[in-house]
PDB file of all heavy atoms in Angstrom:
ATOM      1  N   GLY A  45       7.379  -5.294  -7.125  1.00  0.00           N
ATOM      2  CA  GLY A  45       7.094  -6.017  -5.881  1.00  0.00           C
ATOM      3  C   GLY A  45       5.626  -6.345  -5.726  1.00  0.00           C
ATOM      4  O   GLY A  45       5.009  -6.920  -6.631  1.00  0.00           O
ATOM      5  N   ARG A  46       5.054  -5.926  -4.578  1.00  0.00           N
ATOM      6  CA  ARG A  46       3.661  -6.279  -4.291  1.00  0.00           C
ATOM      7  C   ARG A  46       2.653  -5.434  -5.076  1.00  0.00           C
ATOM      8  O   ARG A  46       1.454  -5.655  -4.964  1.00  0.00           O
ATOM      9  CB  ARG A  46       3.401  -6.137  -2.786  1.00  0.00           C
ATOM     10  CG  ARG A  46       3.722  -7.404  -2.025  1.00  0.00           C
ATOM     11  CD  ARG A  46       3.679  -7.164  -0.542  1.00  0.00           C
ATOM     12  NE  ARG A  46       4.836  -6.455  -0.069  1.00  0.00           N
ATOM     13  CZ  ARG A  46       4.836  -5.613   0.964  1.00  0.00           C
ATOM     14  NH1 ARG A  46       3.727  -5.363   1.603  1.00  0.00           N
ATOM     15  NH2 ARG A  46       5.963  -5.025   1.329  1.00  0.00           N
ATOM     16  N   ALA A  47       3.119  -4.489  -5.860  1.00  0.00           N
ATOM     17  CA  ALA A  47       2.218  -3.718  -6.723  1.00  0.00           C
ATOM     18  C   ALA A  47       2.533  -4.117  -8.158  1.00  0.00           C
ATOM     19  O   ALA A  47       3.274  -3.430  -8.850  1.00  0.00           O
ATOM     20  CB  ALA A  47       2.436  -2.230  -6.503  1.00  0.00           C
ATOM     21  N   PHE A  48       2.016  -5.251  -8.588  1.00  0.00           N
ATOM     22  CA  PHE A  48       2.370  -5.745  -9.920  1.00  0.00           C
ATOM     23  C   PHE A  48       1.117  -6.010 -10.765  1.00  0.00           C
ATOM     24  O   PHE A  48       0.001  -6.031 -10.243  1.00  0.00           O
ATOM     25  CB  PHE A  48       3.241  -7.017  -9.832  1.00  0.00           C
ATOM     26  CG  PHE A  48       2.515  -8.240  -9.330  1.00  0.00           C
ATOM     27  CD1 PHE A  48       1.900  -9.127 -10.208  1.00  0.00           C
ATOM     28  CD2 PHE A  48       2.452  -8.510  -7.981  1.00  0.00           C
ATOM     29  CE1 PHE A  48       1.240 -10.264  -9.755  1.00  0.00           C
ATOM     30  CE2 PHE A  48       1.789  -9.644  -7.502  1.00  0.00           C
ATOM     31  CZ  PHE A  48       1.179 -10.524  -8.395  1.00  0.00           C
ATOM     32  N   SER A  49       1.345  -6.207 -12.064  1.00  0.00           N
ATOM     33  CA  SER A  49       0.232  -6.523 -12.969  1.00  0.00           C
ATOM     34  C   SER A  49       0.540  -7.856 -13.638  1.00  0.00           C
ATOM     35  O   SER A  49       1.698  -8.265 -13.708  1.00  0.00           O
ATOM     36  CB  SER A  49       0.106  -5.466 -14.066  1.00  0.00           C
ATOM     37  OG  SER A  49       0.182  -4.180 -13.515  1.00  0.00           O
ATOM     38  N   PHE A  50      -0.485  -8.498 -14.135  1.00  0.00           N
ATOM     39  CA  PHE A  50      -0.284  -9.740 -14.893  1.00  0.00           C
ATOM     40  C   PHE A  50      -1.265  -9.731 -16.064  1.00  0.00           C
ATOM     41  O   PHE A  50      -2.303  -9.056 -16.004  1.00  0.00           O
ATOM     42  CB  PHE A  50      -0.509 -10.968 -14.001  1.00  0.00           C
ATOM     43  CG  PHE A  50      -1.913 -11.066 -13.473  1.00  0.00           C
ATOM     44  CD1 PHE A  50      -2.869 -11.831 -14.123  1.00  0.00           C
ATOM     45  CD2 PHE A  50      -2.285 -10.363 -12.334  1.00  0.00           C
ATOM     46  CE1 PHE A  50      -4.183 -11.899 -13.655  1.00  0.00           C
ATOM     47  CE2 PHE A  50      -3.598 -10.421 -11.855  1.00  0.00           C
ATOM     48  CZ  PHE A  50      -4.544 -11.192 -12.520  1.00  0.00           C
ATOM     49  N   VAL A  51      -0.907 -10.451 -17.120  1.00  0.00           N
ATOM     50  CA  VAL A  51      -1.802 -10.473 -18.281  1.00  0.00           C
ATOM     51  C   VAL A  51      -2.807 -11.607 -18.098  1.00  0.00           C
ATOM     52  O   VAL A  51      -2.432 -12.768 -17.910  1.00  0.00           O
ATOM     53  CB  VAL A  51      -0.999 -10.641 -19.589  1.00  0.00           C
ATOM     54  CG1 VAL A  51      -1.950 -10.750 -20.787  1.00  0.00           C
ATOM     55  CG2 VAL A  51      -0.052  -9.461 -19.786  1.00  0.00           C
ATOM     56  N   ASP A  52      -4.082 -11.246 -18.124  1.00  0.00           N
ATOM     57  CA  ASP A  52      -5.137 -12.235 -17.971  1.00  0.00           C
ATOM     58  C   ASP A  52      -5.257 -13.019 -19.283  1.00  0.00           C
ATOM     59  O   ASP A  52      -5.448 -12.417 -20.345  1.00  0.00           O
ATOM     60  CB  ASP A  52      -6.445 -11.491 -17.650  1.00  0.00           C
ATOM     61  CG  ASP A  52      -7.620 -12.436 -17.571  1.00  0.00           C
ATOM     62  OD1 ASP A  52      -7.452 -13.531 -16.993  1.00  0.00           O
ATOM     63  OD2 ASP A  52      -8.695 -12.098 -18.091  1.00  0.00           O
ATOM     64  N   ARG A  53      -5.128 -14.357 -19.174  1.00  0.00           N
ATOM     65  CA  ARG A  53      -5.066 -15.170 -20.395  1.00  0.00           C
ATOM     66  C   ARG A  53      -6.353 -15.084 -21.215  1.00  0.00           C
ATOM     67  O   ARG A  53      -6.332 -15.058 -22.427  1.00  0.00           O
ATOM     68  CB  ARG A  53      -4.770 -16.630 -20.044  1.00  0.00           C
ATOM     69  CG  ARG A  53      -3.280 -16.933 -20.267  1.00  0.00           C
ATOM     70  CD  ARG A  53      -2.996 -18.388 -20.139  1.00  0.00           C
ATOM     71  NE  ARG A  53      -2.686 -18.708 -18.743  1.00  0.00           N
ATOM     72  CZ  ARG A  53      -2.989 -19.847 -18.147  1.00  0.00           C
ATOM     73  NH1 ARG A  53      -3.637 -20.785 -18.790  1.00  0.00           N
ATOM     74  NH2 ARG A  53      -2.642 -20.063 -16.900  1.00  0.00           N
ATOM     75  N   GLU A  54      -7.492 -15.004 -20.487  1.00  0.00           N
ATOM     76  CA  GLU A  54      -8.756 -15.023 -21.241  1.00  0.00           C
ATOM     77  C   GLU A  54      -9.006 -13.734 -22.018  1.00  0.00           C
ATOM     78  O   GLU A  54      -9.481 -13.751 -23.142  1.00  0.00           O
ATOM     79  CB  GLU A  54      -9.928 -15.244 -20.279  1.00  0.00           C
ATOM     80  CG  GLU A  54     -10.093 -16.697 -19.896  1.00  0.00           C
ATOM     81  CD  GLU A  54     -10.567 -16.835 -18.457  1.00  0.00           C
ATOM     82  OE1 GLU A  54     -11.624 -16.283 -18.138  1.00  0.00           O
ATOM     83  OE2 GLU A  54      -9.859 -17.501 -17.668  1.00  0.00           O
ATOM     84  N   THR A  55      -8.677 -12.600 -21.398  1.00  0.00           N
ATOM     85  CA  THR A  55      -9.043 -11.323 -22.031  1.00  0.00           C
ATOM     86  C   THR A  55      -7.852 -10.615 -22.661  1.00  0.00           C
ATOM     87  O   THR A  55      -8.037  -9.677 -23.439  1.00  0.00           O
ATOM     88  CB  THR A  55      -9.628 -10.372 -20.966  1.00  0.00           C
ATOM     89  OG1 THR A  55      -8.626 -10.225 -19.933  1.00  0.00           O
ATOM     90  CG2 THR A  55     -10.897 -10.909 -20.376  1.00  0.00           C
ATOM     91  N   GLY A  56      -6.638 -11.017 -22.278  1.00  0.00           N
ATOM     92  CA  GLY A  56      -5.448 -10.330 -22.781  1.00  0.00           C
ATOM     93  C   GLY A  56      -5.214  -8.991 -22.088  1.00  0.00           C
ATOM     94  O   GLY A  56      -4.296  -8.255 -22.443  1.00  0.00           O
ATOM     95  N   LEU A  57      -6.041  -8.652 -21.075  1.00  0.00           N
ATOM     96  CA  LEU A  57      -5.872  -7.368 -20.381  1.00  0.00           C
ATOM     97  C   LEU A  57      -4.805  -7.481 -19.301  1.00  0.00           C
ATOM     98  O   LEU A  57      -4.654  -8.538 -18.680  1.00  0.00           O
ATOM     99  CB  LEU A  57      -7.177  -6.941 -19.712  1.00  0.00           C
ATOM    100  CG  LEU A  57      -8.365  -6.608 -20.608  1.00  0.00           C
ATOM    101  CD1 LEU A  57      -9.585  -6.291 -19.761  1.00  0.00           C
ATOM    102  CD2 LEU A  57      -8.029  -5.415 -21.511  1.00  0.00           C
ATOM    103  N   ALA A  58      -4.086  -6.375 -19.073  1.00  0.00           N
ATOM    104  CA  ALA A  58      -3.135  -6.343 -17.943  1.00  0.00           C
ATOM    105  C   ALA A  58      -3.928  -5.995 -16.691  1.00  0.00           C
ATOM    106  O   ALA A  58      -4.457  -4.888 -16.567  1.00  0.00           O
ATOM    107  CB  ALA A  58      -2.064  -5.297 -18.212  1.00  0.00           C
ATOM    108  N   LEU A  59      -4.065  -6.957 -15.796  1.00  0.00           N
ATOM    109  CA  LEU A  59      -4.814  -6.714 -14.556  1.00  0.00           C
ATOM    110  C   LEU A  59      -3.834  -6.490 -13.418  1.00  0.00           C
ATOM    111  O   LEU A  59      -2.778  -7.135 -13.359  1.00  0.00           O
ATOM    112  CB  LEU A  59      -5.714  -7.914 -14.231  1.00  0.00           C
ATOM    113  CG  LEU A  59      -6.766  -8.290 -15.281  1.00  0.00           C
ATOM    114  CD1 LEU A  59      -7.578  -9.499 -14.814  1.00  0.00           C
ATOM    115  CD2 LEU A  59      -7.699  -7.110 -15.565  1.00  0.00           C
ATOM    116  N   ASP A  60      -4.167  -5.593 -12.506  1.00  0.00           N
ATOM    117  CA  ASP A  60      -3.319  -5.386 -11.329  1.00  0.00           C
ATOM    118  C   ASP A  60      -3.632  -6.458 -10.287  1.00  0.00           C
ATOM    119  O   ASP A  60      -4.773  -6.908 -10.186  1.00  0.00           O
ATOM    120  CB  ASP A  60      -3.559  -3.998 -10.739  1.00  0.00           C
ATOM    121  CG  ASP A  60      -2.970  -2.904 -11.629  1.00  0.00           C
ATOM    122  OD1 ASP A  60      -2.122  -3.235 -12.481  1.00  0.00           O
ATOM    123  OD2 ASP A  60      -3.367  -1.740 -11.467  1.00  0.00           O
TER     124      ASP A  60
END
Side-chain angles (χ1 to χ4, degrees):
R46 272 171 284 149
F48 70 92
S49 314
F50 63 95
V51 177
D52 176 42
R53 260 189 271 147
E54 280 145 58
T55 57
L57 294 177
L59 301 180
D60 288 343

